[in-house]
């Protein structure tokens, strides 16, 4: 989206630097999330020099997402009315958390009430004794949107 927006600019190639930062940040996030190293994560997900992640949907169909890899060449003949479309940030918020927050549903019990956020600093801080801890550990989540009632139950421990 950003590239689409800026592709007619003389210096659009500087987006390459941004691309590098985003990629490094993503790999670092994955390596900490999966308790791995940067090198192992890059090796695991890179095929033919393309970083890609495969995942199964709820119907068992395998999908593939590739990290953008087509460069940032200036497009002189890009149509100005295309370039006027604002960059889209939608693809950057794919988490179910966003969807749940929008739907106003408690992630733990599904109640539709005012939500509060439960945060833990590190997944390692969860002891896994309580059902809600197991819930978060299983989903590798450090943040959860819950209803008032669940929030109180969680903070009673
Ligand atoms: Zn709840």
């Amino acid at each position: 989206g950003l590239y689409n927006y800026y592709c007619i600019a003389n210096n659009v190639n500087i987006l390459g630097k941004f691309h590098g930062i985003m990629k490094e940040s993503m790999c670092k996030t994955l390596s900490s999330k999966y308790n791995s190293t940067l090198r192992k994560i890059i090796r695991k997900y890179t095929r033919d020099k393309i970083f890609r992640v495969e995942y199964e949907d709820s119907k068992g169909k395998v999908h593939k997402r590739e990290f953008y890899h087509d460069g940032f060449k200036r497009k002189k003949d890009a149509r100005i009315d295309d370039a006027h479309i604002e960059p889209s940030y939608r693809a950057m918020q794919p988490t179910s958390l966003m969807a749940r927050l929008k739907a106003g549903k408690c992630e733990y019990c599904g109640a539709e009430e005012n939500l509060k956020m439960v945060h833990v600093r590190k997944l390692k801080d969860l002891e896994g004794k309580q059902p809600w801890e197991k819930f978060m550990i299983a989903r590798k989540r450090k943040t959860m949107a819950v209803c008032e009632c669940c929030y109180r139950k969680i903070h009673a421990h």
Side-chain angles (χ1 to χ4, degrees):
L2 283 174
Y3 176 45
N4 255 342
Y5 190 72
Y6 294 113
C7 69
I8 54 172
N10 288 325
N11 61 344
V12 63
N13 64 311
I14 62 169
L15 277 183
K17 198 175 171 190
F18 175 70
H19 178 263
I21 293 169
M22 294 308 285
K23 189 170 180 185
E24 187 183 343
S25 168
M26 172 186 67
C27 292
K28 281 183 175 167
T29 303
L30 289 173
S31 64
S32 90
K33 196 161 181 171
Y34 293 113
N35 248 326
S36 183
T37 64
L38 206 52
R39 182 186 265 230
K40 280 183 191 161
I41 288 293
I42 291 169
R43 195 177 299 159
K44 183 177 175 196
Y45 291 106
T46 306
R47 297 266 180 288
D48 305 322
K49 293 182 182 168
I50 296 169
F51 192 97
R52 62 168 62 116
V53 172
E54 291 186 354
Y55 64 96
E56 239 176 70
D57 65 17
S58 56
K59 286 168 192 144
K61 204 177 154 202
V62 177
H63 298 265
K64 187 167 74 174
R65 277 294 197 141
E66 291 180 353
F67 196 77
Y68 180 77
H69 54 84
D70 287 332
F72 297 98
K73 257 196 167 155
R74 185 184 174 206
K75 293 184 191 169
K76 276 190 206 154
D77 48 359
R79 282 161 43 101
I80 195 83
D81 30 324
D82 288 341
H84 264 90
I85 297 166
E86 289 271 321
S88 164
Y89 296 96
R90 251 180 311 168
M92 295 181 189
Q93 32 178 264
T95 61
S96 69
L97 175 63
M98 295 304 289
R100 299 267 180 138
L101 278 176
K102 269 189 200 157
K105 270 191 185 163
C106 170
E107 290 197 89
Y108 194 53
C109 76
E112 293 182 31
E113 276 178 43
N114 283 338
L115 298 180
K116 288 188 165 191
M117 303 302 289
V118 174
H119 296 284
V120 293
R121 273 205 307 146
K122 287 181 177 168
L123 279 177
K124 284 175 209 153
D125 294 343
L126 294 170
E127 287 173 24
K129 286 181 192 155
Q130 302 297 329
W132 64 269
E133 290 180 314
K134 288 181 186 145
F135 182 94
M136 290 179 86
I137 291 167
R139 285 161 186 78
K140 298 192 193 306
R141 291 282 296 277
K142 288 187 288 191
T143 304
M144 182 162 69
V146 297
C147 68
E148 189 75 49
C149 175
C150 288
Y151 186 88
R152 256 183 281 133
K153 270 188 228 159
I154 286 169
H155 284 273
H157 296 288

